[in-house]
């Protein structure tokens, strides 16, 4: 029996609140045309063809990299810019010392001036998106208005973008409003403003990553963390990885590492050959939304649908899954190319660069061929280890939470917090060397609580208290760990092999969760002895392993003093229970 073709409601008629807002923005920004994105394959093909024709996108060798393109961003626009990223709450104290703050009215006035007429001659794209599986009660929607077709292509990969999202928005009381224009790409006219109380974002002057793909850091972390606090959940800069042990136990671990410190790699790790029987699956590589579940456990969804991942360092030995994943239908940004038009980057280990990330003939005098923060944008479903539970509407249950930083010294390979509240202190006391993911000097150690320093949409003191409150609601809270894959020896070489071998550390955590794994007590928490880790087939000198598992009490007295000084910036808003844990640690370190 033939059915009549379904007449689709035109997009602008689906959700009046969105249409009204688009009309307001259009009258402010004066675009030449307005395009409502439906997310269809045809639309993506059309946008891609347009960008290729205009020379903004470069097709890579389609025989070996089918569906892959290269985008070169403006050389002054290659990373997140924290010094122009603001949280605009009515009360400055609500943004906290961890954020730059502007009064909402002042920020709006400044942005209005920038947005005024800024889309003349350009297309205004309306990008409805859903963060999280479209049928998940835990997912949240937003609309990004942008004048960048490159941003639209990224959003189409990174989120559930298009008609389905708009249909969901039509039935909901609110959505996050994100207004974006690349403006003139002038670093002096660049701002990323967040208004958590209004569920709004305004971003001007950058077309890159976290500055411009507003569903990602702006919505799913800064705005969502604010909402999560009000509603009793957590929005975190975390990967979510599934681990099935050789005995058949299924676990999920959520891990927070700062930008470019190993989340994508841990989320898709391949077990070392000598560690047979493990199955690793990826739920998410950058952001986790964590909800207390009815069973007293913490449940996690990945709000994203794709990966915006660091390219340099990716090769078949470090990350075979990623290497395979980005060989088709991948949007590369700021990599180099070889003479035969294949993408190239530092750490690829084969081939040679001919043209650098700025499109110039490669000359080592100009620095790396690929930008250190060059990225791939790719659908999560292309990951060979994509979890069959990645789209479960209720998420996956979390057995352990891991915090970690990039520390050449001080932090041991792994330690376990004494209890959940101590774990919150461990997260709050995190520090890491700065990377190329954000503008600024690389390598300087800075405090980065829970890897959320650039992403928490409110006062860290309130955030730590909220963490403790969420933990208190859990009958079965996850155990909390701290790891450091980045310890270096006297020659500056990494002491721990990292990547797939990190599974040895995760396996110990799961043993601990099962009440089995051995450990010894230290002033900062529980550590495995060398014999508690499975090191079968690992080529590592015993003395190196001992050094990785050592806690130097002199160094830690300094570290803890530094943590106390840092936390002091948050004054008496800090949760007393967390400070009590700090005192306990200080007591254990006293001779
Ligand atoms: P964002 O996307 O910026 O949030 O970063 P991320 O945390 O997902 O970092 P990613 O996994 O992309 O890793 C960043 C860099 O660290 C890459 O160059 C990796 O090759 C390198 N890396 C990742 N894991 C390890 C590890 O275990 N050991 C060492 N030495 N390097 C690693
Ligand atoms: C990060 O910097 O943590 C990223 C990349 O994941 S960006 O989307 O640019 O924030
Ligand atoms: Mn990130």
């Amino acid at each position: 029996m033939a059915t009549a073709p379904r007449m689709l409601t035109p997009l602008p008629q689906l959700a009046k609140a969105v249409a009204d807002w688009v009309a307001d923005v259009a009258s402010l920004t004066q675009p030449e045309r307005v395009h409502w994105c439906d997310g269809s394959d045809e639309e993506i093909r059309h946008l891609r063809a347009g960008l290729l024709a205009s020379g903004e996108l470069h097709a890579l060798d389609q025989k070996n990299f089918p569906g892959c393109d290269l985008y070169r961003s403006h050389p002054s626009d290659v990373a997140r810019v924290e010094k122009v990223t603001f949280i605009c709450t009515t009360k400055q104290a609500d943004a906290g010392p961890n954020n730059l703050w502007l009064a909402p009215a002042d920020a709006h006035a400044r942005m209005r001036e920038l947005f005024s007429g800024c889309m003349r001659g350009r297309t205004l794209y309306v990008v409805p998106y859903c963060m999280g599986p479209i049928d998940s009660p835990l997912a949240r929607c937003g609309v990004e208005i942008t004048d960048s077709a490159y941003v639209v292509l990224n959003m189409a990969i990174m989120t559930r973008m298009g008609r389905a999202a708009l249909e969901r928005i039509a039935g909901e009381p609110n959505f996050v409003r994100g207004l974006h224009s690349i403006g003139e790409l002038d670093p002096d006219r660049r701002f990323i403003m967040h208004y958590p109380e209004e569920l709004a974002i305004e971003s001007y002057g950058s077309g890159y990553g976290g500055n411009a793909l507003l569903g990602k850091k702006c919505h799913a972390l800064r705005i969502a963390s604010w909402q999560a606090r009000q509603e009793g959940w957590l929005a975190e800069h975390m990967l979510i990885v599934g681990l099935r042990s050789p005995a058949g136990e299924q676990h999920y671990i959520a891990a927070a590492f700062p930008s470019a410190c190993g989340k994508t790699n841990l989320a898709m790790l391949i077990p070392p050959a000598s560690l047979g029987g493990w199955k690793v699956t990826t739920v998410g590589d950058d952001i986790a939304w964590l909800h207390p579940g009815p069973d007293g456990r913490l449940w996690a969804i990945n709000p994203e649908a794709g990966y915006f991942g660091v390219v340099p360092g990716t090769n078949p030995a470090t990350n075979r899954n990623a290497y395979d994943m980005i060989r088709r239908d991948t949007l590369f940004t700021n990599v180099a190319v070889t003479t035969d038009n294949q993408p190239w980057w530092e750490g690829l280990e084969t081939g040679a660069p001919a043209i650098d990330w700025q499109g110039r003939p490669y000359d080592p005098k100009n620095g790396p061929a690929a930008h250190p923060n060059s990225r791939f944008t790719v659908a999560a479903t292309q990951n060979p280890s994509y979890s069959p539970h990645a789209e479960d509407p209720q998420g996956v249950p979390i057995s352990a939470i891991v915090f970690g930083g990039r520390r050449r010294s001080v932090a041991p390979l792994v330690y376990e917090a004494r209890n959940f509240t101590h774990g919150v202190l461990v997260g709050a006391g995190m520090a890491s060397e700065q990377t190329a993911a954000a503008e600024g000097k690389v390598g300087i150690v800075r405090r980065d609580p829970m890897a959320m320093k650039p992403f928490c949409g409110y006062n860290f003191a309130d955030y730590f208290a909220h963490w403790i409150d969420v933990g208190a609601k859990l009958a079965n809270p996850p155990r909390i760990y701290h790891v450091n894959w980045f310890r270096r020896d006297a020659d500056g070489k990494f002491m721990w092999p990292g990547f797939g071998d990190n599974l040895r550390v995760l396996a110990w955590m799961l043993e601990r969760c099962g009440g089995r794994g051995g450990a010894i007590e230290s002033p900062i928490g529980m550590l495995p002895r060398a014999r508690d880790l499975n090191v079968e087939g690992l080529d590592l000198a015993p003395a190196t392993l001992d050094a990785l598992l050592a806690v130097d009490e002199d160094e830690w007295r300094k570290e803890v003093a530094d943590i106390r000084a840092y936390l002091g910036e948050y004054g008496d808003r800090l949760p007393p229970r967390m400070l009590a844990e700090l005192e306990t640690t200080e007591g254990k370190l006293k001779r």
Side-chain angles (χ1 to χ4, degrees):
M1 198 172 66
T3 48
R6 194 159 71 98
M7 280 300 287
L8 293 175
T9 309
L11 291 173
Q13 289 169 28
L14 260 181
K16 185 168 182 303
V18 178
D20 289 347
W21 176 56
V22 169
D24 286 349
V25 169
S27 84
L28 173 67
T29 59
Q30 299 286 310
E32 188 166 310
R33 62 193 92 70
V34 174
H35 174 98
W36 288 68
C37 296
D38 63 12
S40 64
D41 292 346
E42 193 196 331
E43 176 177 73
I44 300 308
R45 265 197 304 276
H46 179 77
L47 287 173
R48 182 177 173 220
L51 286 172
L52 286 166
S54 71
E56 287 169 82
L57 269 188
H58 309 267
L60 293 163
D61 166 16
Q62 295 296 298
K63 191 162 143 276
N64 293 296
F65 288 84
C68 294
D69 301 315
L70 165 62
Y71 179 83
R72 295 192 182 105
S73 74
H74 191 277
S76 72
D77 186 29
V78 293
R80 284 182 294 99
V81 199
E82 295 174 6
K83 64 176 192 281
V84 293
T85 302
F86 291 81
I87 300 295
C88 310
T89 45
T90 311
K91 295 195 202 124
Q92 179 164 9
D94 288 341
N98 46 306
N99 282 302
L100 294 178
W101 173 86
L102 273 173
D106 295 345
H108 279 309
R110 184 182 298 191
M111 296 307 278
R112 216 183 153 75
E113 220 170 279
L114 293 171
F115 280 121
S116 179
C118 73
M119 295 190 190
R120 281 202 187 96
R122 299 181 186 170
T123 302
L124 178 160
Y125 298 96
V126 182
V127 186
Y129 63 86
C130 178
M131 300 310 292
I134 196 98
D135 58 347
S136 169
L138 309 180
R140 297 300 169 89
C141 292
V143 176
E144 174 166 357
I145 291 178
T146 178
D147 54 10
S148 162
Y150 165 75
V151 164
V152 178
L153 286 186
N154 277 278
M155 288 292 286
I157 298 170
M158 296 303 296
T159 72
R160 282 83 174 172
M161 187 277 265
R163 175 173 289 274
L166 194 59
E167 281 168 351
R168 183 170 162 156
I169 289 167
E172 294 189 336
N174 55 42
F175 61 95
V176 170
R177 291 158 198 246
L179 173 53
H180 169 252
S181 171
I182 55 171
E184 309 81 34
L185 296 176
D186 174 354
D188 294 329
R189 289 162 59 82
R190 181 173 292 162
F191 293 100
I192 302 104
M193 306 286 193
H194 303 75
Y195 310 87
E197 292 148 331
E198 304 166 27
L199 301 185
I201 305 154
E202 291 172 339
S203 168
Y204 188 91
S206 166
Y208 199 78
N211 301 331
L213 313 179
L214 301 187
K216 197 172 176 59
K217 298 297 167 46
C218 302
H219 176 165
L221 287 178
R222 298 194 189 97
I223 300 287
S225 62
W226 175 281
Q227 293 180 290
R229 179 180 176 225
Q230 293 175 326
E231 298 167 11
W233 51 283
L234 296 164
E236 298 300 323
H237 192 204
M238 289 179 175
L239 68 94
I240 309 163
V241 64
L243 299 162
R244 198 182 66 213
S245 72
E249 280 179 36
Q250 179 66 46
H251 287 279
Y252 295 91
I253 289 180
F257 309 150
S259 302
C261 290
K263 290 183 300 302
T264 303
N265 280 273
L266 194 71
M268 49 200 303
L269 78 83
I270 294 181
S274 50
L275 228 64
W278 286 88
K279 171 105 177 116
V280 177
T281 49
T282 313
V283 176
D285 85 317
D286 196 49
I287 299 178
W289 285 355
L290 305 166
H291 288 75
D295 61 353
R297 292 191 288 177
L298 200 55
W299 290 72
I301 65 163
N302 169 16
E304 301 190 280
Y307 308 142
F308 184 65
V310 174
V311 180
T314 308
N315 69 50
T318 56
N319 191 341
R320 175 93 228 176
N321 281 333
Y323 182 79
D324 290 342
M325 171 175 75
I326 59 178
R327 289 195 75 89
R328 68 176 173 91
D329 300 315
T330 299
L331 181 46
F332 288 90
T333 300
N334 291 345
V335 295
V337 289
T338 62
T339 44
D340 42 8
N341 206 25
Q342 298 195 9
W344 193 93
W345 52 86
E346 276 67 23
L348 176 60
E349 310 293 1
T350 53
I355 308 286
D356 76 4
W357 65 276
Q358 296 188 55
R360 305 171 298 191
Y362 172 61
D363 181 344
K365 283 205 291 289
N366 290 330
H371 190 277
N373 191 37
S374 53
R375 298 262 167 176
F376 54 74
T377 318
V378 66
T381 50
Q382 279 183 216
N383 177 357
S385 62
Y386 189 59
S387 167
H389 297 288
E391 317 244 1
D392 285 2
Q394 81 286 3
V396 294
I398 297 299
S399 302
I401 286 177
V402 182
F403 295 118
R406 190 182 273 270
R407 297 293 299 270
R408 54 174 58 234
S409 61
V410 185
L413 180 63
V414 58
Y415 61 98
E416 181 186 79
R418 298 185 289 264
N419 55 58
F420 193 90
T421 305
H422 178 230
V424 174
L425 173 68
V426 167
M430 272 170 66
S432 196
E433 292 159 25
Q434 278 191 240
T435 66
E439 206 175 75
K441 199 158 158 40
V442 168
I444 295 185
V445 175
R446 73 157 172 185
R447 294 280 146 206
D448 190 350
M450 277 85 165
M452 285 287 278
K453 166 70 187 72
F455 307 122
C456 185
Y458 62 102
N459 190 321
F460 259 155
D462 300 339
Y463 170 80
F464 303 144
H466 180 54
W467 257 86
I468 292 173
D469 288 346
V470 169
K473 272 193 257 169
L474 301 170
N476 286 301
R479 287 193 187 223
I480 300 182
Y481 296 86
H482 187 281
V483 299
N484 178 20
W485 315 139
F486 300 95
R487 256 323 248 271
R488 302 209 199 208
D489 63 17
D491 299 328
K493 285 219 294 286
F494 291 118
M495 292 162 69
W496 177 248
F499 300 100
D501 284 308
N502 294 334
L503 179 58
R504 300 174 192 277
V505 174
L506 303 184
W508 174 74
M509 294 173 187
L510 296 182
E511 284 289 297
R512 296 284 300 163
C513 292
R516 296 179 298 261
I520 46 159
E521 213 184 313
S522 86
I524 62 170
M526 307 295 287
L527 275 90
R529 294 154 299 188
R531 66 175 143 100
D532 296 318
L533 289 179
N534 183 342
V535 291
E536 216 178 302
L538 182 68
D539 183 19
L540 192 67
T544 306
L545 187 56
D546 288 343
L548 283 164
L549 295 175
V551 174
D552 180 320
E553 297 200 6
D554 279 334
E555 281 181 348
W556 271 95
R557 270 185 283 275
K558 277 191 224 121
E559 181 73 6
V560 168
D562 200 54
I563 291 171
R564 175 163 292 278
Y566 171 71
L567 292 177
E569 294 171 27
Y570 297 90
D572 52 16
R573 256 170 117 124
L574 284 174
R577 279 169 296 173
M578 191 178 83
L579 291 176
E581 287 295 338
L582 182 59
E583 262 164 50
T584 302
T585 302
E586 287 166 338
K588 287 175 187 286
L589 282 166
K590 274 214 184 89
R591 269 198 276 235

